Amino acid sequence: MRVFTVIGPSHSGKTELAKALATLQEPEQKPQQATGVAELRAFQFMDESWGVIDIAGGVENLVTAGPALAASDAAVVCVSADPAAGVLAAPYLRMVEEAGIPAFLFINRMDQAAGRVADIVAALQTYCRHNIVLRQIPMRAGGEVIGAVDLISERAWKYQEGQPSALVAFPDSIHARERQARGEMLEALADYDDDLLEQLIEDRKPLTEAVYDVATRVLQHNDLIPALLGSALHRNGILRLMKSLRHEAPAVEVAAQRLAADEQPLAVGCIGDLVKHLGKTVVVRALSQPVGAGAQIGGGNLGAMTQLRGESAVAKTGAGAPATGNGRNSSQAYSGDLAPGDIAQVVKSDHLSLGYAYLENRAAQLPQWAQPRPSSYQRIVTPVHDRDDVRLTTALERIAEIDTGMQIEQDEISGHALLHLQGPLHLRRILTLLNESFGIDVGDEPVPPALRETITRPVTIHHRHRKQSGGAGQFADVVLSIAPATRGSGFHFTDEVKGGAVPRGYIPSVEAGAREALKTGANGYPVVDVQVTLMDGKHHSVDSSDYAFRTAGKSAVREALAEAGSVVLQPIMRVEIHVPSVFTGGLVPVVSGMQGQILGFAAHPEAAGWDVFETLLPVAVQDQLCSSLASATRGTAWFSSGFDHYEEARRTSSAAGGGR
């Protein structure tokens, strides 16, 4: 079986395209679904087995594309026939280039195209380091696209509603444009083939089959991205795309080498889901060797397997079971082993998760390009009913196994689960999954900023702790100085005691008391960036103790904090925004409106058409940044952030988010 993944912006017609490709020669089959993010369809084309993975649009769903591309032989980037929408394809073009996977560009909905195809390609080329080469040009009549001319075979095809295109006579009016476009295509291909280059220099017409061979080799080496035209809804140009995939997409061995050149994995997980009454399911693709139910993969045994058309596999006890990759509905043809390239759904294999390629005894993390982007959207989730508290923890752990874009930790203050997510739509999908698959109703709330406070002036305090209530008494006398320290320096304690006024053994107790007092300041937040100095004191030979000096240090610091006055500090994060360069200027007012400090921006060193925009922003506006960034960049940009420093809150309302 050969597999390819269809990705692209929302509303570009990806699902229409995947369905049209899968039903070229047979009725539609029910797809294998992963809740709201992916569909996998198995089909036959020209007596070969194929699988197409359709990834839902939206940058939040790119986390699903990583494992899918890792298991694919090729990618198809589906885009709309609108130059203005070219920027929407930027994240997807960037991903296929980072993956190094052979890719086709399919310009969909050509029946609605009003502008020139050259303008569409030029808009897309801005965001692609690889040269995008047109393999077809449109035929028009009355301003509408009625067909396409193949630039390699030089044959004209007229679109037919719901049917394969019909071969027609080459229109005279298109000869000049076809010669120019074909020349540009051949020149692009000749950069990677000396024989073709020599023929062009000598003004000899290359043979069609020779050009196809060069195009195949160039695609498999990932040198260029060919662009094809059509309309998935009307089934125009679909057969040409499928034939190109059949002839030019590489074999499964290339996918295995792309994941690991030294030790090739046995299998990789494509998509995962949680099915009620069935549990976790993972769709795996065999890569370098046949894989059977019960086989040792990733340090555990595979459970029951079901090929995409419902054939159930049971573990084989004997050796030499025949392997098959035809994927047909025949229990005789299917032996229970997956040949390299075949795909099956696996259940009762808890050790399998997405984001990994599997060798016999271990799991290897997928390459960096297949890993999720930084999870910049955070939410604290709590069960509506207290009885579901333990069940919620278990359910979230199960979801994380099939959703690599979600990370879980425990909130330090509330003790509830803190989720790191790709965005608000990702959160909505998680909450729906918890309700439908686990029967758990969950509420969510934003993470309050981790506010701190500090003092603004130095204070010296003399405090005596004395207690006598029968038996051994308590006595400790300390003179403390507390002063502001450099921002970000934390807490420092020194002593200047002379003459043994405070014995050396009691000084650590004074420091411990001071640290305890700084846990909660006058505003209810931890106190940071202070210097506490023990200047003098007194002790009693009988009544003094570690406890007494600890209490004295604690009380003295509390008195000093009340007298010195404090200010609230807010955490500031350093943010790195990856944004298409056309939107960079629009980020300046967005960041300024959030009280941000712009550090600068520069072109991304590896991603064409992208900038890296750096800024400092209060942590409290991180959720606002998610929504504002989506609006300002049409959902194409993303960011990573990390703590940088604390600074004084500019407004009282900034400190009202709750103490953490």
Side-chain angles (χ1 to χ4, degrees):
M1 176 180 279
R2 301 166 74 185
V3 178
F4 61 95
T5 294
V6 177
I7 61 174
S10 299
H11 310 298
S12 60
K14 297 181 302 302
T15 301
E16 294 171 353
L17 177 60
K19 185 185 297 185
L21 290 167
T23 55
L24 273 170
Q25 294 185 348
E26 59 181 32
E28 182 179 358
Q29 303 286 336
K30 183 179 179 180
Q32 179 71 40
Q33 293 186 331
T35 310
V37 294
E39 289 185 347
L40 193 154
R41 301 171 186 272
F43 62 98
Q44 293 284 309
F45 180 74
M46 300 184 73
D47 296 323
E48 291 183 357
S49 294
W50 287 84
V52 53
I53 305 174
D54 169 26
I55 303 297
V59 292
E60 292 183 26
N61 293 322
L62 275 177
V63 63
T64 313
L69 290 175
S72 296
D73 303 316
V76 176
V77 182
C78 181
V79 300
S80 297
D82 180 5
V87 67
L88 302 182
Y92 308 95
L93 291 170
R94 176 174 174 176
M95 187 167 195
V96 296
E97 288 195 307
E98 290 174 346
I101 186 171
F104 286 91
L105 186 68
F106 185 74
I107 303 176
N108 196 16
R109 297 173 179 167
M110 283 300 299
D111 55 308
Q112 302 175 13
R116 300 169 60 241
V117 171
D119 294 335
I120 300 172
V121 172
L124 296 167
Q125 188 65 72
T126 303
Y127 307 102
C128 192
R129 289 180 290 114
H130 288 70
N131 190 13
I132 299 175
V133 178
L134 268 176
R135 291 266 291 269
Q136 297 172 308
I137 60 171
M139 294 191 304
R140 299 179 186 268
E144 295 183 358
V145 176
I146 61 168
V149 173
D150 187 282
L151 296 178
I152 295 182
S153 66
E154 293 191 282
R155 292 189 292 181
W157 300 90
K158 185 177 181 180
Y159 293 151
Q160 299 185 105
E161 181 65 29
Q163 300 178 31
S165 302
L167 182 64
V168 296
F170 205 101
D172 293 335
S173 60
I174 206 173
H175 272 294
R177 187 154 54 93
E178 188 272 340
R179 282 195 298 270
Q180 179 183 355
R182 176 177 166 83
E184 294 171 353
M185 178 199 68
L186 292 176
E187 289 177 4
L189 294 176
D191 288 339
Y192 305 94
D193 187 86
D194 292 340
D195 290 339
L196 179 59
L197 178 61
E198 182 178 345
Q199 293 179 59
L200 295 182
I201 292 174
E202 296 175 356
D203 201 23
R204 291 185 287 131
K205 185 176 181 178
L207 297 175
T208 298
E209 289 304 319
V211 177
Y212 274 125
D213 288 343
V214 175
T216 299
R217 189 166 62 253
V218 166
L219 178 81
Q220 294 185 354
H221 289 175
N222 193 30
D223 296 321
L224 299 173
I225 296 182
L228 302 174
L229 316 175
S231 171
L233 180 62
H234 303 289
R235 305 180 73 85
N236 301 146
I238 303 303
L239 184 59
R240 178 68 267 165
L241 172 61
M242 193 62 224
K243 285 186 175 181
S244 297
L245 284 164
R246 179 175 180 266
H247 289 292
E248 300 173 35
V252 65
E253 292 80 7
V254 177
Q257 293 170 1
R258 191 167 58 247
L259 297 183
D262 51 351
E263 190 175 5
Q264 294 186 16
L266 301 178
V268 62
C270 308
I271 58 177
D273 200 4
L274 290 170
V275 181
K276 197 170 184 178
H277 306 307
L278 186 61
K280 181 176 71 174
T281 67
V282 177
V283 176
V284 299
R285 188 185 191 203
L287 293 179
S288 57
Q289 297 179 24
V291 174
Q296 181 85 359
I297 294 291
N301 293 327
L302 285 183
M305 295 194 306
T306 303
Q307 264 196 326
L308 295 179
R309 304 224 175 157
E311 298 152 330
S312 179
V314 295
K316 297 292 183 182
T317 57
T324 179
N326 60 19
R328 302 299 292 176
N329 270 328
S330 171
S331 58
Q332 293 181 343
Y334 183 41
S335 67
D337 285 344
L338 297 177
D342 282 359
I343 287 183
Q345 181 188 44
V346 180
V347 297
K348 297 181 180 179
S349 299
D350 289 341
H351 65 291
L352 297 183
S353 300
L354 293 188
Y356 296 90
Y358 292 98
L359 292 88
E360 184 175 351
N361 296 314
R362 65 183 180 89
Q365 197 169 49
L366 292 178
Q368 184 59 41
W369 56 263
Q371 300 302 320
R373 289 173 175 170
S375 302
S376 54
Y377 191 76
Q378 301 178 4
R379 276 296 186 275
I380 296 174
V381 294
T382 56
V384 174
H385 306 291
D386 291 340
R387 65 176 183 271
D388 291 331
D389 192 47
V390 176
R391 292 180 60 221
L392 175 61
T393 301
T394 303
L396 289 173
E397 291 174 351
R398 298 298 302 276
I399 293 174
E401 293 174 0
I402 54 98
D403 189 337
T404 59
M406 181 182 75
Q407 289 81 45
I408 312 168
E409 64 179 78
Q410 188 177 43
D411 180 57
E412 295 179 356
I413 304 300
S414 66
H416 293 302
L418 172 58
L419 304 185
H420 298 264
L421 304 160
Q422 300 294 307
L425 295 179
H426 190 193
L427 171 66
R428 187 183 308 170
R429 189 169 68 245
I430 297 298
L431 297 184
T432 300
L433 193 58
L434 286 169
N435 179 265
E436 294 181 353
S437 296
F438 296 93
I440 303 175
D441 292 325
V442 176
D444 69 279
E445 59 184 30
V447 181
L451 300 178
R452 299 290 184 266
E453 56 183 274
T454 192
I455 60 175
T456 57
R457 62 187 181 88
V459 171
T460 300
I461 291 293
H462 178 202
H463 181 82
R464 174 172 292 179
H465 173 71
R466 180 167 53 188
K467 185 177 181 181
Q468 190 72 42
S469 58
Q474 298 179 23
F475 179 85
D477 188 291
V478 295
V479 178
L480 292 179
S481 172
I482 182 169
T486 304
R487 187 75 71 240
S489 61
F491 169 76
H492 297 279
F493 181 89
T494 58
D495 74 273
E496 299 178 357
V497 177
K498 298 179 180 178
V502 178
R504 304 302 301 175
Y506 291 145
I507 292 177
S509 299
V510 178
E511 179 181 355
R515 289 182 180 276
E516 187 175 349
L518 295 175
K519 289 181 179 179
T520 306
N523 295 286
Y525 311 118
V527 182
V528 297
D529 303 337
V530 293
Q531 169 78 45
V532 176
T533 304
L534 176 60
M535 304 178 66
D536 200 359
K538 296 179 181 179
H539 75 286
H540 189 276
S541 59
V542 176
D543 292 341
S544 290
S545 64
D546 287 332
Y547 177 79
F549 273 96
R550 182 186 183 104
T551 304
K554 179 179 178 180
S555 299
V557 169
R558 283 182 173 175
E559 292 177 15
L561 292 176
E563 184 174 333
S566 62
V567 294
V568 174
L569 303 176
Q570 62 179 343
I572 302 299
M573 59 182 180
R574 188 181 189 95
V575 181
E576 188 177 85
I577 304 174
H578 291 247
V579 56
S581 54
V582 68
F583 296 127
T584 300
L587 293 186
V588 174
V590 171
V591 170
S592 299
M594 298 179 189
Q595 301 180 351
Q597 177 186 346
I598 298 172
L599 301 178
F601 60 89
H604 194 286
E606 297 178 356
W610 287 77
D611 286 341
V612 179
F613 189 105
E614 293 187 289
T615 180
L616 297 175
L617 281 170
V619 171
V621 303
Q622 183 153 325
D623 283 357
Q624 182 183 350
L625 178 61
C626 284
S627 58
S628 298
L629 200 61
S631 176
T633 67
R634 301 178 68 183
T636 56
W638 56 277
F639 70 93
S640 60
S641 63
F643 173 78
D644 191 82
H645 67 279
Y646 277 96
E647 70 177 29
E648 185 175 343
R650 301 183 186 181
R651 292 195 294 265
T652 304
S653 59
S654 299
R660 291 180 60 80

